[in-house]
Amino acid sequence: MWSEIIRLINEKQRFILTAHTNPDLDALGSELALDEYLRSLGKEVTILNSDSAPRLLRFVDPDRRLRTFSPDRDQGKIDRAQVIFVLDASGGWERVGRVGEVLAARANRSGKEVEVVCIDHHANPVGFADVAVVNSDAAATAELIFDLITQAGGALTPSIARWLYLAILTDTGSFRFPNTNLQTHRIAARLIEAGADPMQLYKQVYEQYPLGLVRLKGHVLNSLQAGAGGRMVWSALDQETLKAYGATPADLDGFPGLGMQIGGVRVSLLCVELPRGRVKVSLRSDGSLTVNGLAEKLGGGGHPSAAGATVEGDLAQVTAQLVAEIEALLKSF
Ligand code: 5GP
Ligand code: MN
């Protein structure tokens, strides 16, 4: 599975790593781990994302390896790259955002000068890549990066172990989502052996929130609405409320699943108002039905039990529309 990618790593010198917009810890941890591994081989590596890391995740990047794409500064690097790794974003260049457009243009005009490699655990057809490893049995892209580094004979340094562990920890909702399996725990054990400290890493992600954000969680819990005889819950957050709690949409990791704590709930929906008349939609399910189909209909995507999209429209209207769609979905499952 990895031989083609390992060949590219051995033969080429200049690499760009990228991931999806609004990167999460799976995207960032996978990039940083692969970056360190490639640099240990003497390769020239640049991580280029369309969006910067959310403020609560900046701790992962003490050496400031992550770069937010800036056209003037980065075009040269893009023109000279020999391999582009697209991580956690098999949805296509669009999923990579504005740097995706520029990388796509380079890939399309260069013929075979640049190879595009996609590694992801979202089940998408990957038309845009020359080489793809897409495995939806993996709980996180970081599991696949673990595979790649170990298959290539690379060392699991303590920092690589921490990045991969953080990615798996968060993408599995602390080892509880339906994607968590035996292999996930086996890999986690290897990462702990290699230097990842579970308690310290958990604290770094889940016990360093500003007070306002924890209070906002209380607000969301208080504003949960129930429907479909208790089988669905939803909540909508407007810009004004976010501001009042000193929060931004990027801070809300974990919020969409809050309603899943309730017995009998099969689907949880969170709609968050974004600037310029857009709404971020997040869907979670208990595994008894799939929600990524609905997200795809809205131009987004995701996993069977965790999916999302960003749509144009008014917060109340988008929310009401989705509540109706989920009610219909519940009837069909
Ligand atoms: P969240 O609701 O936490 O933003 O995202 C949940 C899942 O849905 C993640 O796996 C994420 O990759 C996916 N997802 C969220 N928003 C989008 C989107 O706009 N496009 C696609 N393709 N996937 C998304
Ligand atoms: Mn992921």
Side-chain angles (χ1 to χ4, degrees):
M1 180 162 90
W2 295 108
S3 55
E4 180 70 7
I5 296 176
I6 292 171
R7 185 185 64 75
L8 285 173
I9 289 175
N10 290 331
E11 285 177 6
K12 307 290 180 177
Q13 183 57 27
R14 293 183 300 279
F15 295 79
I16 285 181
L17 315 185
T18 192
H20 54 78
T21 52
N22 303 315
D24 57 7
L25 268 180
D26 191 22
L28 300 172
S30 295
E31 288 179 326
L32 288 162
L34 185 57
D35 170 64
E36 180 169 313
Y37 169 61
L38 292 172
R39 284 189 302 125
S40 78
L41 301 174
K43 309 294 176 178
E44 198 184 301
V45 191
T46 308
I47 306 176
L48 275 186
N49 291 329
S50 292
D51 300 313
S52 56
R55 60 184 171 141
L56 294 171
L57 302 184
R58 299 230 169 106
F59 72 89
V60 289
D61 184 30
D63 298 330
R64 301 177 123 278
R65 293 290 308 158
L66 300 172
R67 270 160 73 155
T68 306
F69 174 57
S70 149
D72 294 341
R73 186 194 55 192
D74 297 323
Q75 187 66 51
K77 282 255 188 260
I78 291 173
D79 289 339
R80 288 190 299 277
Q82 295 170 299
V83 183
I84 299 167
F85 274 95
V86 179
L87 305 179
D88 206 35
S90 54
W93 291 117
E94 212 184 282
R95 183 79 181 115
V96 178
R98 60 201 177 89
V99 72
E101 271 179 51
V102 180
L103 293 171
R106 157 86 171 130
N108 291 335
R109 76 170 174 266
S110 78
K112 275 280 135 193
E113 267 173 52
V114 65
E115 301 268 352
V116 177
V117 178
C118 174
I119 302 177
D120 192 16
H121 67 129
H122 297 87
N124 290 311
V126 197
F128 69 101
D130 300 300
V131 189
V133 172
V134 169
N135 180 356
S136 57
D137 292 334
T141 297
E143 283 192 11
L144 301 170
I145 300 298
F146 170 92
D147 254 6
L148 169 60
I149 293 175
T150 51
Q151 294 287 318
L156 290 175
T157 64
S159 46
I160 288 178
R162 283 194 290 273
W163 282 316
L164 296 180
Y165 186 93
L166 282 167
I168 294 170
L169 174 74
T170 49
D171 251 33
T172 58
S174 306
F175 302 96
R176 75 184 199 283
F177 293 159
N179 57 0
T180 308
N181 58 37
L182 185 55
Q183 184 64 3
T184 311
H185 283 283
R186 286 202 170 113
I187 292 173
R190 295 273 306 278
L191 297 172
I192 294 168
E193 271 173 349
D197 177 342
M199 181 170 133
Q200 191 235 334
L201 296 173
Y202 183 91
K203 274 178 173 291
Q204 226 161 10
V205 180
Y206 295 113
E207 298 183 349
Q208 294 295 330
Y209 296 126
L211 175 61
L213 198 59
V214 177
R215 287 194 169 141
L216 178 59
K217 204 174 272 190
H219 172 92
V220 170
L221 288 168
N222 263 311
S223 66
L224 283 177
Q225 309 277 309
R231 287 175 297 157
M232 66 174 292
V233 289
W234 73 92
S235 180
L237 263 179
D238 58 29
Q239 284 277 311
E240 203 181 327
T241 307
L242 281 175
K243 280 206 192 84
Y245 286 92
T248 70
D251 297 332
L252 306 180
D253 197 47
F255 280 53
L258 287 172
M260 298 309 298
Q261 296 174 33
I262 304 158
V265 166
R266 294 172 67 192
V267 181
S268 171
L269 164 71
L270 177 67
C271 294
V272 180
E273 187 182 31
L274 304 178
R276 294 184 297 279
R278 292 173 315 142
V279 178
K280 165 86 218 238
V281 173
S282 286
L283 293 156
R284 299 292 183 269
S285 96
D286 68 346
S288 68
L289 77 176
T290 58
V291 288
N292 49 348
L294 186 48
E296 278 159 23
K297 250 177 57 183
L298 301 171
H303 306 280
S305 302
T310 296
V311 299
E312 310 255 326
D314 164 76
L315 180 65
Q317 268 168 12
V318 169
T319 308
Q321 167 86 30
L322 273 158
V323 167
E325 298 234 19
I326 294 166
E327 273 171 351
L329 188 68
L330 279 164
K331 286 201 185 107
S332 68
F333 269 92

